[in-house]
Amino acid sequence: MTASTGRRVLIIVENLPVPFDRRVWSEATTLVKAGYQVSVICPKGKGSTASHEVIDGVHIYRHSLPLDAEGVLGYAVEYSAALFWEFLLSLKVLWQRGFDVIHACNPPDTIFLIGGFYRLFGKKFLFDHHDINPELYEAKFGRRDFGWKLMVWLEKLSFRTANRSLATNESYREIAITRGGMAPDKVHIVRSGPNLDRVREVEPDAKWRNGRRFVVGYVGVIGKQEGLDLLLESVSHLVNVRKRDDIQFVICGGGPELETIKAESASMGLGDYVTFTGRCPDETLFSALSTSDVCVNPDRPTAMNDKSTMNKIMEYMALGKPIVQYDLREGRFSAQEASLYATCTDPADFGDKIADLLDDPERRATMGAFGRERVRKELAWNYEAPKLLAAYEALFTGRKTVAAGDAVNGSAATHGKQ
C-alpha cells in the first residue's frame, strides 16, 4: 500500500474533454499510479461522448454544453451551464465515490465556487492555473473593460479560495503570488511536459505531402489568439512572393475559428496548399507531425502568449522537429536552440525562416536533435510527475515548503520562461 492509498481526488476541467486534455490526463493517470482514487468531471466532445466511463483507472463523468462559445455573452452562457453541471456531477461523485480534494483546472476561473462550497465541509481545494484569464480576455476582445476587471476579480478569488495552487511556469507562479495574493510556499510549479508514452514518432505518410516535397505542420486550438491568420499570410508570402510551390501545410486541430480560417484560406487561393484535419485522434496527429519537415507556432504576440507555455512546442521537440515561431518569452525558454524566432509580427519574416529551414537539411537535423534531447533530459512529463505528487503531499500534510524541483524551475525560467 502506498502512502496515498485512500486519498480521493475530484478533478474538474471545463474547456476540453478528458482524455483529450493532455495535461489533465497526465495528472490524473500519475495520481492513479501513485495510489490515489481519481474522478474527473469534464465536457463531452468529439470522440468523448460517454456520460461515464473508466479509462486506466480514472472515472470520467461528462456533461453536455449548450454551445462552443463566441463573444462575451456566449462565454457567459457556456460557463454558467458548465458550472451548473459540474456542481450537479460533483454531488454524484461525492455520493458514488467520495473525494477529499477538488482539483480545479481553469479556464474559466469560476470553479472556485464549487471548491469554496466543499471547503465548508472540510474538503481541500487545489487551483491548477492553466491560463491567465485576464490576459486571455484581452487577447480575445482587445480591451480592458468591465469584463477584464471581472476576470482579475475571479482569478483573485480562485487563489484566495485555494489551499494550494499549481503553476505551469515561473511567470504563472509570479502572477499567483503578486496578483493572486498566494503565499510563495503554497505555489508549486508543475510544467506541462509531454508524456513520452503518448507522444511518439510513426512512419511518415506521403499523403500529407499532397505531391509536394516538404510538409510544414501545426497542431493546436484554432482561435483568435493562436495566429492562424498570420500563418496564412506567411503561406501566401511563400507561394505568391517566394514562388514556392513545393510546400504543403497541415493544420491539425479544431476550435471556434476553424471555419473562418478555412474560408480565409480558400479566399486567398491557398486551398490546395493547406490541409485542415479538424480535431483528430493521436494516430492522425502523430502521422502528420512525423511527416512534417518543420513545425510552426504562429501564436500572436500578446501578454497571454508571452507568459504561457504551449504544449505544441514541447510535442514538436519530443518528435525531433525544428520549429519556427514568433519571439515570445516562454516559447524561447522552452525551445531555445530548437527554434528560429521571427520578428513580431512579421508574416514575411516568419515565412522566410520556414524557407530557410526547409532549404537547410543539416540545420533542421541539428535543431531537431537538440529539441528531442532537451525534452527527454529536462522537460518530459516524467520530470514533472514527482513535482505534482510533492504538491499533493504538501496539500495533505500541510508542509510549508516549496515542492521539490520548484526552485530549479524558477532559476531556469529567469532566462526566458515557459
Side-chain angles (χ1 to χ4, degrees):
M1 281 177 42
T2 66
S4 54
T5 297
R7 294 176 178 176
R8 302 165 300 174
V9 178
L10 171 59
I11 299 175
I12 302 178
V13 56
E14 193 277 337
N15 66 323
L16 285 174
V18 170
F20 183 79
D21 188 310
R22 297 188 286 278
R23 175 183 172 92
V24 174
W25 190 242
S26 291
E27 291 173 328
T29 52
T30 294
L31 290 169
V32 167
K33 289 174 183 175
Y36 288 79
Q37 176 180 296
V38 181
S39 307
V40 176
I41 293 173
C42 67
K44 294 179 179 179
K46 183 179 179 182
S48 300
T49 57
S51 296
H52 175 252
E53 66 178 322
V54 182
I55 304 176
D56 295 343
V58 180
H59 284 249
I60 306 170
Y61 298 78
R62 301 191 185 96
H63 59 85
S64 299
L65 285 176
L67 75 168
D68 193 358
E70 289 188 49
V72 175
L73 182 59
Y75 283 106
V77 172
E78 177 189 325
Y79 293 163
S80 297
L83 192 65
F84 169 78
W85 286 113
E86 287 160 2
F87 182 69
L88 206 62
L89 287 173
S90 74
L91 294 173
K92 183 176 182 178
V93 175
L94 183 66
W95 175 259
Q96 292 184 345
R97 291 171 53 77
F99 55 84
D100 307 300
V101 177
I102 286 184
H103 178 147
C105 307
N106 82 326
D109 289 337
T110 53
I111 306 173
F112 79 91
L113 292 167
I114 300 175
F117 172 79
Y118 282 109
R119 281 201 68 178
L120 296 174
F121 301 95
K123 310 298 184 185
K124 298 182 185 297
F125 181 55
L126 178 70
F127 180 44
D128 194 349
H129 195 201
H130 292 192
D131 285 310
I132 39 179
N133 279 324
E135 285 80 358
L136 181 59
Y137 180 93
E138 187 175 7
K140 284 180 179 292
F141 302 112
R143 57 184 185 267
R144 289 192 173 190
D145 56 5
F146 171 77
W148 182 86
K149 293 177 182 177
L150 178 62
M151 294 300 106
V152 173
W153 182 64
L154 292 173
E155 179 188 77
K156 182 170 290 190
L157 288 175
S158 295
F159 283 117
R160 293 294 172 86
T161 305
N163 298 95
R164 289 181 181 260
S165 71
L166 304 181
T168 58
N169 55 41
E170 183 65 27
S171 298
Y172 276 37
R173 183 173 188 270
E174 182 180 348
I175 287 171
I177 295 166
T178 57
R179 199 162 71 194
M182 286 211 79
D185 62 356
K186 293 186 177 180
V187 184
H188 302 259
I189 295 177
V190 179
R191 298 182 181 275
S192 297
N195 188 329
L196 297 183
D197 291 333
R198 170 188 168 267
V199 180
R200 61 197 181 281
E201 294 179 74
V202 299
E203 283 297 315
D205 190 335
K207 74 177 182 182
W208 300 113
R209 299 191 179 277
N210 195 25
R212 297 191 164 91
R213 182 181 178 189
F214 298 114
V215 174
V216 174
Y218 168 88
V219 59
V221 175
I222 314 298
K224 292 188 186 221
Q225 67 271 18
E226 276 76 25
L228 272 298
D229 57 329
L230 298 175
L231 180 60
L232 291 182
E233 291 183 38
S234 299
V235 178
S236 179
H237 171 74
L238 287 167
V239 172
N240 298 313
V241 178
R242 296 288 300 268
K243 305 300 180 185
R244 297 292 297 256
D245 61 0
D246 57 346
I247 309 170
Q248 186 71 22
F249 288 77
V250 179
I251 296 177
C252 303
E257 295 295 307
L258 176 58
E259 294 307 317
T260 300
I261 293 298
K262 288 170 71 173
E264 187 174 343
S265 174
S267 70
M268 295 171 70
L270 302 175
D272 192 47
Y273 291 91
V274 184
T275 302
F276 294 92
T277 69
R279 183 178 289 181
C280 57
D282 282 353
E283 291 74 15
T284 301
L285 170 64
F286 294 127
S287 173
L289 294 184
S290 295
T291 308
S292 297
D293 301 284
V294 169
C295 288
V296 293
N297 175 31
D299 280 345
R300 190 177 298 279
T302 64
M304 165 75 185
N305 290 336
D306 191 55
K307 292 179 171 67
S308 299
T309 296
M310 301 302 176
N311 288 333
K312 63 175 78 75
I313 294 296
M314 304 287 207
E315 295 189 351
Y316 297 160
M317 294 166 65
L319 294 170
K321 301 300 176 180
I323 304 162
V324 176
Q325 59 183 314
Y326 288 114
D327 195 359
L328 301 178
R329 181 184 178 190
E330 287 303 327
R332 183 177 278 275
F333 171 77
S334 295
Q336 297 184 2
E337 296 171 33
S339 180
L340 296 184
Y341 303 92
T343 302
C344 300
T345 308
D346 186 345
D349 185 46
F350 197 98
D352 288 340
K353 283 183 166 53
I354 292 173
D356 290 346
L357 274 181
L358 292 177
D359 294 337
D360 192 341
E362 185 175 340
R363 189 178 192 186
R364 292 203 312 271
T366 300
M367 290 170 62
F370 175 88
R372 183 189 286 110
E373 193 74 357
R374 176 159 163 73
V375 165
R376 295 188 177 182
K377 289 190 174 179
E378 300 178 59
L379 301 177
W381 177 252
N382 56 289
Y383 297 105
E384 302 306 313
K387 299 170 192 173
L388 174 70
L389 297 177
Y392 261 91
E393 188 64 24
L395 178 68
F396 275 98
T397 63
R399 271 192 312 113
K400 291 194 173 181
T401 57
V402 177
D406 283 3
V408 174
N409 281 337
S411 62
T414 58
H415 293 93
K417 179 138 175 235
Q418 218 283 50

